[in-house]
C-alpha cells in the first residue's frame, strides 16, 4: 500500500506533526508537495504532502490508515527540496509546522490550482487573415513571452483562436532566447579577484563573510560570482534587506544578466509574482533578487546564495514564522550544496564572531574600489557647542558644511534615526545616559510612572532632576524628529530644495523609488531621512552626510544599541563621496569618545568588534548566548502582567537567566497591554525546550527566539 505524510494546514495543538494517510482508493497519484483533502476526526481538512511512502511504524496495521479524499493540485506547488526548510524553521524558531510551510511559497502562487504555461512567442509572418488572429499574433510579436490570458484579454481573441494559432505553428510557448551575457563592466581589483577566487575554490555548502568597507566593490564581487554560477548552469539568489533596495539594485543586475533576472517581492502585482516564480522554477531565470522571502525561491539547481547587508535586522521576520533569512540561507546552502556569501561593511556580531573564530571563511575588502577615499569624518562634540552658547539643532561645523555643499551645487543627506517611541535621557553637559545596573541597556523614560525603566528586567528609578554623573540639570530626552529637521533646513536655507524620506512620507507602494530617483536625478539638494536612507544607495552627487543626533541610536533600550549605532553611522557615512568628488560626514553627538562613534567615523569594524565583543560575552548576550522573548498581551493590564509573571516563574531553571516581567517599550499596542519576559541562556537548546513548555502550557504567550527588536 502506498502512503503519504501530510501536514494539516491549520495552527492547533496536537496537529504540529505530519500524519500518515493511505493514497486515494481510486488510484490517483499523490505527489510530494501537493495539497490534499484528508479526513481528520469526524471532519475533513486540507494538508500538504511532505513525503510519500515513509517507513510506517512496524505496529501500524495497514487497514488502520484512512485514505486521502482528494488531491487538490494537478502539479505540486511546494518544491520538494524546500520542504526540509519548513522542519528546520519549526525546530529553530519554535513555530508551527503549518506556519513554516506557508512561508515557502508566495500566497498568489499557493492560490493557483495549476501552474501557468510558459508565455507566447510569434513565429514567422503570422496568419494572413482575421483581425483577432492578427491582433493576437502581433501582441506576442511585440511582447515576446507575453502571458496567454493577458494577450487574449488585450486583443479580445477567444481560446479557440489561440488554439488555432498554436496548432498552425504561428504561436509557440516556451522560454525566450536569451541574449548573450555582456562582458563585465569593470576589471576587478586584486582584492576583489582574491575574494572571487576563494569562494570559487570553496567546498559545496561553504560560507564566507565578505567584510568590505562601503564602496569597496562588494556588489561587483557578487556579480562575478553569479556569472560563474550561471556558466555552470546553476542559479543564484541575492537577498537584499528591503524592497526599496531591491528596486535600487535591479538595474545593475539587469545590465549584467540580461533577461536572466527575476525579482521577488510582495509589492509587485500578483500576476507578475506568479510569472516570476514559475520562470525561476522552470530554470528560465538564473538570478533571483529580493528581500528575505526570496530565500525560498524555487531554483532547480541552486549554486550560490548571497546575503547583502547581512547585518540588517529586517532579515528577521517578526511575525510567525519568525525565521531569520540569513540562517535559512545557511541551511539551504547546506541542503543544496550551494555556497553562501554574507556581505557587509558592518557585520553583525554573530557573523563577525563566526568568521573570526574560523567557523566560516573570512574575506576582506579594506579599501574603496575606485580611487575615491572614504569620507572625511568630523565628529562634533555637542557638549562643547552648548558650552559655547550654540543651542541650535545644527552645530556650527554642520551648518558650515551644508552651506558649502549647497554653494558647490552638490547634494547632502541629513540623517536622523527617530523612532517615535522609547526615549532615553542624555546629559547635555557630559553625555551620560542612564543605564540599567544589571542589563547595561539604556533606561527609558516613562512619563506615566515619572520614572526611568529597564525594559529587560523592570529595574526602575526616579527620573533624575540632575545628571548623576556631573550634576548638571541639562539632562533630558531628545525631542527632534525628521519633520523638525526639514523645517530647520527650510528656515536656514530657504532657496534649497529639500525632500524628506521617512515612514510618513513613504507610506505608498513605489513611493521610495520615485523619491530616490528624483533625488538621484538632482531634483533636490538636501534629503532628510530616517534609517531608510542609510542603506546601500549609490547617489553619486552626495558629498555630505550629516548625522543629526547619533545618541538617539546609541541609547536605544536594546543590548544591540552600540552595534546599531555603529552600523547606522557607518552605512549613512558610506553614502557620501561615492562619485567623483570626495565626501564628508559630520556626526553630532554628546558621546564623542564612545567606541561605536569613533570606530564608525573611521569605518573601522575591527576596532568596534574588539570593544563590543567582551561586553557581550560578559553579559551572555548573543553571539555568546541566546535570547528568547516571551510576550504576554491582554486587554487588561493585570491580566498581561499576571500572565508574564507566570511565564517568568515557569521559565526559571538551572541553565537560564530570566529577566522581567517588565512592560514592553511599547507598553500598549492596538489596545492591548504588553509585558515581556526575557530568557537568556548559553545554549539555544535549553531555550527551545523552555519555549516549547511555555507554549504548550499557555498558548496565549507569544514567543520569539533570537528577537532582533525588543519593542
Ligand atoms: P559596495 O557594494 O561594496 O558598496 P559597489 O560594488 O557598489 O560597492 O562599488 C562602489 C563603486 O565602485 C561602484 O560605483 C562600482 O561601479 C565601483 N567599482 C567597484 N569595483 C570596481 C572596480 N574593480 N573598478 C572600478 N570601479 C569599481
Ligand atoms: Zn552629566
Ligand atoms: Zn535591567
Amino acid at each position: 500500500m502506498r502512503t503519504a505524510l501530510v501536514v494539516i494546514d491549520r495552527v492547533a495543538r496536537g496537529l504540529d506533526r505530519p500524519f500518515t494517510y493511505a493514497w486515494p482508493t481510486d488510484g490517483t497519484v499523490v505527489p510530494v508537495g501537493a495539497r490534499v483533502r484528508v479526513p481528520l476526526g469526524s471532519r475533513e481538512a486540507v494538508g500538504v504532502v511532505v513525503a510519500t511512502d515513509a517507513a510506517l511504524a512496524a505496529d501500524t496495521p495497514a487497514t488502520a490508515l484512512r485514505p486521502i479524499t482528494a488531491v487538490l493540485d494537478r502539479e505540486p506547488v511546494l518544491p520538494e527540496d524546500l520542504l526540509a526548510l519548513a522542519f528546520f524553521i519549526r525546530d529553530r524558531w519554535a513555530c508551527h509546522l503549518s506556519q513554516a510551510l506557508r512561508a515557502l511559497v508566495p500566497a498568489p502562487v499557493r492560490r493557483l490550482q495549476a501552474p501557468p504555461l510558459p508565455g507566447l512567442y510569434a513565429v514567422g509572418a503570422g496568419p494572413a487573415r482575421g483581425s483577432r488572429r492578427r491582433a493576437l499574433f502581433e501582441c506576442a510579436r511585440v511582447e515576446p513571452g507575453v502571458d496567454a490570458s493577458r494577450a487574449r484579454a488585450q486583443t479580445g481573441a477567444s481560446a479557440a483562436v489561440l488554439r488555432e494559432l498554436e496548432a498552425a505553428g504561428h504561436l509557440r510557448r516556451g522560454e525566450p532566447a536569451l541574449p548573450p551575457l555582456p562582458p563585465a563592466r569593470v576589471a576587478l581589483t586584486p582584492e576583489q579577484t582574491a575574494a572571487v577566487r576563494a569562494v570559487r575554490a570553496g567546498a559545496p555548502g561553504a560560507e564566507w563573510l565578505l567584510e568590505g568597507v562601503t564602496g569597496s566593490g562588494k556588489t561587483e564581487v557578487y556579480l562575478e560570482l553569479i556569472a560563474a554560477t550561471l556558466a555552470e548552469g546553476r542559479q543564484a539568489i541575492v537577498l537584499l534587506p528591503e524592497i526599496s533596495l531591491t528596486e535600487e539594485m535591479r538595474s545593475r543586475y539587469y545590465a549584467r544578466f540580461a533577461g536572466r533576472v527575476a525579482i521577488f517581492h510582495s509589492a509587485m502585482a500578483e500576476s507578475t509574482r506568479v510569472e516570476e516564480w514559475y520562470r525561476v522554477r522552470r530554470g528560465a531565470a538564473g538570478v533571483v533578487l529580493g528581500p528575505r522571502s526570496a530565500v525560498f525561491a524555487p531554483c532547480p539547481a541552486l549554486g550560490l546564495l548571497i546575503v547583502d547587508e547581512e547585518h540588517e535586522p529586517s532579515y528577521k521576520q517578526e511575525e510567525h514564522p519568525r525565521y531569520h533569512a540569513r540562517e535559512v540561507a545557511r541551511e539551504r546552502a547546506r541542503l543544496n550544496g550551494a555556497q553562501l556569501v554574507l556581505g557587509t561593511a558592518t557585520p553583525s556580531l554573530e557573523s563577525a564572531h563566526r568568521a573570526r573564530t574560523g567557523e566560516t571563511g573570512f574575506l576582506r575588502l579594506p579599501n574603496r574600489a575606485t580611487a575615491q577615499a572614504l569620507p572625511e569624518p568630523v565628529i562634533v562634540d555637542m557638549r562643547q557647542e552648548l558650552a559655547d552658547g550654540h543651542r541650535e539643532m545644527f552645530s556650527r561645523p554642520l551648518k558650515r558644511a551644508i552651506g558649502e555643499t549647497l554653494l558647490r551645487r552638490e547634494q547632502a543627506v541629513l540623517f536622523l534615526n527617530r523612532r517615535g517611541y522609547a526615549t532615553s535621557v542624555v546629559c547635555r553637559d557630559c553625555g551620560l545616559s542612564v543605564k540599567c545596573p544589571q542589563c547595561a541597556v539604556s533606561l527609558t523614560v516613562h512619563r506615566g510612572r515619572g520614572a526611568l525603566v529597564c525594559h529587560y528586567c523592570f529595574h526602575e528609578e526616579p527620573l533624575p532632576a540632575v545628571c548623576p554623573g556631573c550634576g548638571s540639570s541639562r539632562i533630558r530626552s531628545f525631542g527632534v524628529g525628521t519633520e523638525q529637521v526639514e523645517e530647520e533646513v527650510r528656515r536656514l536655507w530657504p532657496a534649497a530644495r529639500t525632500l524628506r524620506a521617512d515612514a510618513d512620507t513613504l507610506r505608498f507602494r513605489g513611493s521610495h523609488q520615485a523619491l530616490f530617483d528624483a533625488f538621484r536625478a538632482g531634483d533636490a539638494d538636501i534629503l532628510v531621512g530616517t534609517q531608510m536612507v542609510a542603506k546601500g544607495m549609490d547617489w553619486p552627487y552626495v558629498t555630505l552626510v550629516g548625522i543629526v543626533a547619533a545618541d538617539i541610536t546609541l541609547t536605544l533600550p536594546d543590548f544591540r544599541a552600540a552595534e546599531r549605532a555603529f552600523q547606522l553611522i557607518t552605512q549613512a557615512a558610506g553614502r557620501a563621496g561615492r562619485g567623483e568628488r570626495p565626501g564628508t560626514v559630520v556626526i553630532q553627538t554628546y558621546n564623542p569618545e564612545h567606541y561605536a562613534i569613533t570606530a564608525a567615523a573611521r569605518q573601522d569594524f575591527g576596532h568596534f568588534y574588539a570593544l563590543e565583543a567582551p561586553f557581550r560575552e560578559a553579559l551572555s548576550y548573543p553571539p555568546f548566548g541566546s535570547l528568547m522573548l516571551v510576550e504576554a498581551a491582554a486587554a487588561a493590564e493585570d491580566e498581561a502582567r499576571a500572565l508574564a509573571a507566570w511565564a517568568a516563574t515557569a521559565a526559571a531553571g538551572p541553565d537560564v537567566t530570566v529577566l522581567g516581567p517588565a512592560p514592553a517599550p511599547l507598553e500598549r499596542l492596538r489596545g492591548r497591554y504588553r509585558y515581556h519576559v526575557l530568557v537568556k541562556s548559553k545554549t539555544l537548546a535549553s531555550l527551545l525546550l523552555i519555549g516549547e513548555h511555555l507554549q504548550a502550557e499557555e498558548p496565549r504567550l507569544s514567543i520569539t527566539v533570537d528577537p532582533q527588536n525588543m519593542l
Side-chain angles (χ1 to χ4, degrees):
M1 181 185 51
R2 304 209 63 180
T3 60
L5 281 180
V6 175
V7 174
I8 307 296
D9 188 17
R10 198 188 295 163
V11 178
R13 266 174 91 179
L15 292 185
D16 195 21
R17 63 182 181 85
F19 292 88
T20 309
Y21 287 91
W23 280 28
T25 43
D26 64 3
T28 311
V29 172
V30 180
V32 172
R35 281 167 306 182
V36 289
R37 196 183 304 286
V38 292
L40 185 71
S42 59
R43 287 195 262 160
E44 289 213 314
V46 171
V48 173
V49 178
V50 294
T52 51
D53 302 320
L56 285 178
D59 57 352
T60 314
T63 49
L65 289 182
R66 303 170 75 181
I68 288 169
T69 321
V71 177
L72 300 178
D73 296 314
R74 268 193 275 146
E75 279 190 48
V77 280
L78 277 161
E80 202 168 335
D81 67 319
L82 290 185
L83 289 172
L85 288 180
F87 288 86
F88 169 75
I89 290 171
R90 190 245 336 235
D91 295 343
R92 175 66 184 77
W93 291 284
C95 70
H96 215 277
L97 201 45
S98 58
Q99 291 168 324
L101 280 170
R102 278 179 215 165
L104 301 182
V105 176
V109 176
R110 237 183 306 137
R111 279 196 288 273
L112 290 182
Q113 290 288 320
L117 294 167
L120 295 177
Y121 292 86
V123 181
R129 285 192 323 253
S131 62
R132 289 273 153 76
R133 290 187 186 90
R134 286 297 315 170
L136 190 61
F137 178 82
E138 274 305 302
C139 183
R141 198 185 59 76
V142 173
E143 193 188 338
V146 65
D147 179 66
S149 29
R150 188 146 52 82
R152 278 183 42 212
Q154 271 172 26
T155 57
S158 65
V161 166
L162 173 61
R163 270 197 305 274
E164 190 195 317
L165 291 192
E166 278 192 79
H170 296 305
L171 290 178
R172 69 171 176 78
R173 296 188 184 258
E175 308 300 344
L178 291 172
L181 282 182
R185 204 170 42 93
V186 298
L188 296 189
T189 63
E191 286 162 347
Q192 288 170 319
T193 305
V196 170
R197 289 226 175 100
V199 176
R200 295 294 300 158
E207 173 180 348
W208 285 267
L209 174 64
L210 176 60
E211 190 176 305
V213 296
T214 54
S216 59
K218 296 182 289 295
T219 308
E220 294 297 332
V221 171
Y222 305 156
L223 295 176
E224 205 55 41
L225 288 171
I226 295 167
T229 306
L230 291 179
E232 288 177 335
R234 305 181 81 186
Q235 298 91 39
I237 297 174
V238 183
L239 300 184
L240 294 159
E242 324 251 317
I243 291 175
S244 57
L245 210 52
T246 306
E247 291 294 321
E248 279 279 307
M249 281 286 174
R250 68 194 297 169
S251 57
R252 269 176 95 174
Y253 285 82
Y254 281 156
R256 182 74 187 271
F257 302 114
R260 293 161 178 83
V261 182
I263 306 284
F264 265 45
H265 64 65
S266 58
M268 297 189 310
E270 291 211 347
S271 57
T272 317
R273 293 177 73 193
V274 170
E275 279 173 36
E276 294 285 78
W277 197 86
Y278 278 101
R279 210 155 67 83
V280 172
R281 179 138 190 202
R282 290 194 300 264
V287 188
V288 179
L289 213 56
R292 64 174 176 251
S293 60
V295 75
F296 302 114
C299 302
L302 186 62
L304 177 67
L305 284 141
I306 291 167
V307 184
D308 192 23
E309 312 290 358
E310 65 85 26
H311 61 279
E312 282 291 338
S314 57
Y315 283 122
K316 178 76 193 271
Q317 172 145 302
E318 296 288 353
E319 308 93 50
H320 275 308
R322 299 189 163 114
Y323 67 89
H324 197 299
R326 182 177 66 217
E327 286 190 42
V328 176
R330 179 176 300 141
E331 179 67 7
R332 190 156 184 210
R334 199 181 66 76
L335 290 168
N336 292 59
Q339 298 185 316
L340 174 63
V341 175
L342 310 177
T344 175
T346 55
S348 61
L349 265 271
E350 285 83 350
S351 297
H353 183 65
R354 290 164 66 81
R356 279 160 175 79
T357 53
E359 210 176 316
T360 66
F362 190 12
L363 305 165
R364 273 190 268 203
L365 301 176
N367 303 301
R368 281 199 161 173
T370 53
Q372 203 50 265
L374 286 168
E376 174 79 20
V378 178
I379 300 177
V380 181
D381 184 348
M382 294 303 276
R383 302 168 304 187
Q384 192 56 46
E385 282 293 297
L386 203 62
D388 294 348
H390 292 270
R391 332 174 130 257
E392 291 172 54
M393 181 187 301
F394 298 140
S395 61
R396 290 164 293 174
L398 182 54
K399 253 197 317 219
R400 202 177 315 123
I402 295 173
E404 287 169 7
T405 305
L406 291 173
L407 268 183
R408 287 196 307 265
R409 314 217 127 276
E410 293 165 359
Q411 290 177 305
V413 174
L414 298 178
F415 169 74
L416 184 81
N417 182 33
R418 178 90 213 139
R419 308 160 85 184
Y421 31 78
T423 40
S424 7
V425 295
V426 175
C427 171
R428 284 352 191 213
D429 283 317
C430 75
L432 177 128
S433 74
V434 187
K435 293 213 151 72
C436 173
Q438 188 177 334
C439 312
V441 301
S442 291
L443 300 180
T444 301
V445 180
H446 269 239
R447 302 256 171 246
R449 294 176 196 275
L452 286 174
V453 174
C454 171
H455 286 295
Y456 284 13
C457 71
F458 212 7
H459 164 86
E460 186 172 329
E461 52 188 77
L463 261 176
V466 298
C467 170
C470 73
S472 157
S473 58
R474 288 193 289 212
I475 181 160
R476 50 193 171 82
S477 54
F478 281 95
V480 195
T482 38
E483 238 179 292
Q484 283 124 302
V485 175
E486 191 187 14
E487 269 166 34
E488 182 71 355
V489 169
R490 289 191 197 283
R491 187 179 72 81
L492 291 169
W493 300 280
R497 298 161 304 161
T498 62
L499 281 175
R500 178 157 63 90
D502 56 28
D504 294 331
T505 60
L506 298 181
R507 221 166 320 150
F508 304 104
R509 188 188 278 190
S511 51
H512 287 87
Q513 202 48 38
L515 191 139
F516 293 163
D517 284 348
F519 189 59
R520 173 174 305 106
D523 290 353
D525 307 301
I526 299 179
L527 175 64
V528 176
T530 55
Q531 58 264 31
M532 60 179 66
V533 304
K535 295 168 191 169
M537 281 37 145
D538 203 4
W539 290 316
Y541 303 107
V542 172
T543 54
L544 173 67
V545 167
I547 316 274
V548 179
D551 306 83
I552 292 178
T553 313
L554 203 53
T555 60
L556 284 176
D558 188 321
F559 74 89
R560 286 195 177 91
E563 181 180 335
R564 295 277 180 254
F566 175 80
Q567 288 166 353
L568 288 167
I569 296 169
T570 309
Q571 296 288 347
R575 299 316 106 215
R578 293 175 74 90
E580 308 269 292
R581 312 263 185 94
T584 305
V585 52
V586 178
I587 305 161
Q588 302 196 141
T589 176
Y590 291 92
N591 284 280
E593 303 91 7
H594 194 286
Y595 60 90
I597 306 257
T598 56
R602 294 198 311 271
Q603 304 232 341
D604 184 352
F605 178 76
H607 178 68
F608 172 73
Y609 181 84
L611 290 164
E612 179 69 4
F615 153 72
R616 298 283 180 92
E617 192 161 17
L619 290 166
S620 300
Y621 286 127
F624 302 94
S626 291
L627 290 181
M628 182 169 73
L629 182 66
V630 182
E631 182 177 309
E637 185 172 8
D638 288 350
E639 192 190 341
R641 197 186 313 120
L643 187 56
W646 174 86
T649 317
D655 302 341
V656 299
T657 312
V658 178
L659 301 175
L666 275 171
E667 213 174 333
R668 277 194 81 181
L669 191 67
R670 291 187 277 272
R672 291 165 72 76
Y673 287 90
R674 303 158 74 233
Y675 273 77
H676 280 172
V677 173
L678 196 59
V679 191
K680 243 185 346 188
S681 174
K682 291 233 192 270
T683 64
L684 176 65
S686 43
L687 278 188
L688 289 171
L689 274 178
I690 292 169
E692 210 170 284
H693 167 68
L694 292 180
Q695 196 73 81
E697 292 291 314
E698 194 39 273
R700 285 180 297 167
L701 292 172
S702 151
I703 288 170
T704 311
V705 179
D706 295 336
Q708 285 290 312
N709 173 344
M710 303 282 196
L711 301 165

